[in-house]
């Protein structure tokens, strides 16, 4: 699920405006449904391995059912907006959509997706119990299922296995281990770590450290920002202290800069990187170190009141609330994302939905070793806070984190400034009442 942080924010900003305009509007669920089986269904997608996997399966589905699946590809930043516009206009231009779980708050607020709870409950063949609870929650908004897991891309710990073997190191379990490994790598002449600290998107990576330390950005009950807590200060130290172990420019590295350093240079570890980068980093045409990477659950070490956990990201597949073919759309998605089709996704080069039966399958684990870490991480993993203001929060916090990493602000000043910024966003929106 690779995307530019700038485009992510732009797309979500547009979606938030549309969602705000639709507040109080009539939900478009209840759209008259056409009788019989349609000749074709349309799915809105963006360029990604997951879309490639769906396309590969669509041909087989058409041969078995006679129903053609047509794909409309749009840039990532237009996905949420297109789904919301369809709901507002009531015009069906597509039946299904590929959806970033991060955008669910905006889309659901605008009544853009159909609730799938009844379909899930009535379709035993789909076998929803084959998913861990954390992943079920990832596909929900406000306790309602609006998507089916399409790809599952938690932030994992990545290591260079050849360097670790050379030095007799093991993947970190705690953050103390992370720094022990970084010191050993640095002393041996390698870069100890690289991370994401740029002004766009770095807040996602800090949040992964914070959640893995037993903290949260926001109080889950009141939505009060929690950057003035002891665990936030501990997590910031763990996150920022790694800058000195990276190549030149690490303090302002974007996700693309960090991945490039990790795949091209002698960098020993990345503590937070989505599992969806596996095929890129292990592509021998792109990485001289392909085949020498391993993934593990993220390092966790409690310093706060919550159980440390991994942070979940990834695609889900949903049904447009404006579609006149909702039952047929369910039939395709439930079939394409069934346990029987996990191999087809893997063969197409796409990350499969992280069913329990998939992440424990020896054949699949041999093909995609990262699935073992994914399986462990999603059991208790949590999504980033699901509120429409989160895109603003990520933007503001990322800019402040970059100022801290580059020495423009002290850590104490930065956390205080970020706390005030988040408080202003949430008070102005009415989310936090004080």
């Amino acid at each position: 699920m690779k995307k530019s942080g700038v485009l992510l924010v732009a797309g979500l900003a547009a979606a938030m405006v549309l969602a705000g305009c639709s507040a109080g509007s009539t939900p478009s669920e209840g759209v008259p449904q056409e009788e019989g089986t349609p000749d074709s269904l349309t799915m809105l997608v963006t360029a990604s391995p997951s879309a490639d996997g769906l396309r590969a399966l669509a041909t087989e589905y058409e041969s078995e059912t006679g129903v053609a699946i047509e794909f409309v590809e749009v840039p990532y930043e237009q996905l949420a907006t297109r789904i919301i516009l369809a709901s507002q206009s009531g015009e069906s231009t597509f039946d299904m959509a590929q959806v970033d779980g991060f955008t669910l708050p905006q889309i659901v607020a605008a009544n853009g997706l159909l609730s799938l709870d009844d379909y899930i409950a009535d379709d035993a063949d789909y076998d929803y119990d084959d998913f861990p609870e954390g992943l079920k929650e990832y596909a929900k908004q406000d306790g309602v299922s609006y998507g089916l897991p399409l790809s599952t891309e938690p932030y994992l710990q990545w290591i260079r296995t050849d360097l670790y073997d050379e030095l007799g190191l093991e993947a970190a379990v705690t953050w103390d281990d992370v720094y022990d490994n970084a010191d050993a790598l640095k002393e041996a002449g390698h870069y100890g770590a690289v991370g994401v600290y740029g002004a766009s998107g770095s807040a996602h990576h800090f949040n992964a450290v914070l959640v893995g330390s037993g903290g949260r950005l926001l109080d889950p009950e009141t939505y009060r920002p929690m950057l003035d807590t002891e665990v936030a200060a501990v997590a910031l130290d763990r996150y920022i202290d790694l800058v000195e172990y990276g190549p030149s420019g690490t303090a302002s590295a974007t996700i693309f800069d960090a991945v490039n350093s990790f795949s091209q240079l002698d960098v020993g570890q990345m503590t937070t990187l989505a599992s969806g980068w596996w095929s890129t980093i292990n592509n021998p045409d792109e990485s001289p170190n392909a085949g020498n990477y391993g993934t593990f659950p993220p390092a966790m070490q409690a310093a706060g009141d919550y159980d440390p956990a991994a942070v979940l990201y990834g695609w889900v597949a949903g049904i447009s609330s404006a579609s006149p073919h909702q039952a047929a759309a369910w039939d395709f998605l439930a079939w394409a994302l069934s346990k029987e089709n996990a191999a087809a996704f893997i063969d197409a080069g796409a990350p499969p939905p992280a069913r329990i039966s998939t992440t424990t399958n020896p054949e699949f684990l041999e093909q995609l070793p990262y699935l073992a870490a994914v399986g462990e991480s999603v059991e208790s993993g949590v999504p980033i806070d699901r509120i429409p203001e989160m895109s603003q929060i990520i933007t503001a916090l990322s800019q402040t984190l970059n100022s801290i990493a580059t020495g423009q602000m002290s850590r104490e000043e930065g956390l205080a400034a970020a706390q005030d910024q988040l408080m202003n966003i949430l008070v102005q929106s009415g989310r936090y009442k004080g």
Side-chain angles (χ1 to χ4, degrees):
M1 190 186 62
K2 296 171 288 185
K3 59 186 78 71
S4 162
V6 174
L7 296 181
L8 172 65
V9 171
L12 288 180
M16 286 180 66
V17 171
L18 290 169
C21 292
S22 70
S25 64
T26 302
S28 53
E29 291 189 26
V31 168
Q33 298 295 292
E34 295 183 6
E35 296 184 1
T37 303
D39 293 331
S40 65
L41 294 167
T42 301
M43 185 162 190
L44 195 67
V45 298
T46 195
S48 64
S50 294
D52 294 340
L54 289 167
R55 285 191 176 96
L57 284 161
T59 301
E60 180 182 348
Y61 184 77
E62 182 177 5
S63 68
E64 291 185 5
T65 66
V67 179
I69 308 299
E70 300 174 355
F71 293 89
V72 175
E73 185 173 305
V74 299
Y76 171 82
E77 67 272 16
Q78 295 181 15
L79 264 179
T81 303
R82 288 284 294 270
I83 298 168
I84 291 171
L85 283 173
S87 171
Q88 291 181 343
S89 68
E91 297 181 3
S92 174
T93 56
F94 60 91
D95 303 288
M96 304 163 288
Q98 176 183 355
V99 181
D100 187 345
F102 185 60
T103 66
L104 275 179
Q106 291 78 26
I107 297 172
V108 170
N111 307 309
L113 293 173
L114 185 72
S115 167
L116 303 181
D117 283 340
D118 288 343
Y119 284 112
I120 290 170
D122 293 340
D123 192 338
D125 290 339
Y126 178 65
D127 194 4
Y128 199 49
D129 288 337
D130 191 30
F131 289 102
E133 290 302 318
L135 194 50
K136 291 179 183 178
E137 291 300 315
Y138 180 78
K140 294 179 181 180
Q141 178 66 27
D142 301 325
V144 177
S145 299
Y146 288 100
L148 297 182
L150 173 53
S151 72
T152 309
E153 304 178 38
Y155 276 21
L156 301 177
Q157 171 191 183
W158 294 62
I159 68 168
R160 274 279 301 276
T161 54
D162 56 334
L163 301 184
Y164 273 53
D165 289 345
E166 170 192 322
L167 299 175
L169 304 178
E170 296 183 356
V173 175
T174 68
W175 273 89
D176 290 338
D177 297 335
V178 166
Y179 279 95
D180 287 343
N181 288 345
D183 287 334
L185 287 158
K186 186 175 181 179
E187 290 172 7
H190 309 294
Y191 293 112
V194 70
V196 178
Y197 300 93
S200 175
S202 57
H204 287 292
H205 297 264
F206 167 70
N207 181 60
V209 178
L210 178 61
V211 172
S213 299
R216 294 291 187 272
L217 282 178
L218 309 177
D219 184 298
E221 301 296 329
T222 67
Y223 297 107
R224 180 188 182 278
M226 299 178 69
L227 295 178
D228 57 353
T229 59
E230 182 178 349
V231 63
V234 170
L236 184 66
D237 287 342
R238 290 173 177 173
Y239 173 70
I240 294 292
D241 283 348
L242 282 177
V243 170
E244 67 178 87
Y245 292 91
S248 175
T250 294
S252 292
T254 66
I255 180 61
F256 303 105
D257 297 330
V259 168
N260 185 63
S261 293
F262 191 51
S263 62
Q264 302 297 318
L265 306 176
D266 282 338
V267 177
Q269 61 180 326
M270 280 193 73
T271 58
T272 59
L273 180 64
S275 62
W277 287 95
W278 177 265
S279 59
T280 298
I281 288 179
N282 281 285
N283 184 343
D285 295 329
E286 298 184 23
S287 171
N289 305 306
N292 289 321
Y293 295 96
T295 55
F296 297 85
M300 297 185 192
Q301 191 167 347
D305 296 333
Y306 299 90
D307 290 335
V311 177
L312 304 182
Y313 289 90
W315 298 111
V316 299
I319 296 175
S320 171
S321 56
S323 169
H325 308 299
Q326 292 166 358
W330 169 265
D331 185 78
F332 170 69
L333 290 180
W335 173 83
L337 302 175
S338 65
K339 66 175 68 177
E340 289 76 13
N341 281 322
F345 272 92
I346 294 172
D347 291 344
R355 289 177 172 272
I356 297 169
S357 61
T358 298
T359 59
T360 58
N361 184 306
E363 180 182 345
F364 297 160
L365 289 170
E366 184 174 353
Q367 292 176 272
L368 298 176
Y370 77 88
L371 287 176
V374 168
E376 292 184 52
S377 298
V378 298
E379 289 184 15
S380 60
V382 297
I384 198 167
D385 301 85
R386 287 283 182 76
I387 57 173
E389 298 87 354
M390 189 49 62
S391 61
Q392 293 173 273
I393 288 172
I394 292 297
T395 299
L397 182 55
S398 294
Q399 292 170 351
T400 301
L401 289 169
N402 177 244
S403 295
I404 297 171
T406 55
Q408 300 173 62
M409 300 177 73
S410 71
R411 299 180 190 191
E412 294 77 11
E413 292 171 338
L415 277 181
Q419 176 74 7
D420 289 343
Q421 290 170 331
L422 270 58
M423 187 74 78
N424 288 336
I425 291 170
L426 293 162
V427 168
Q428 289 178 12
S429 71
R431 181 75 53 186
Y432 178 60
K433 304 297 184 181

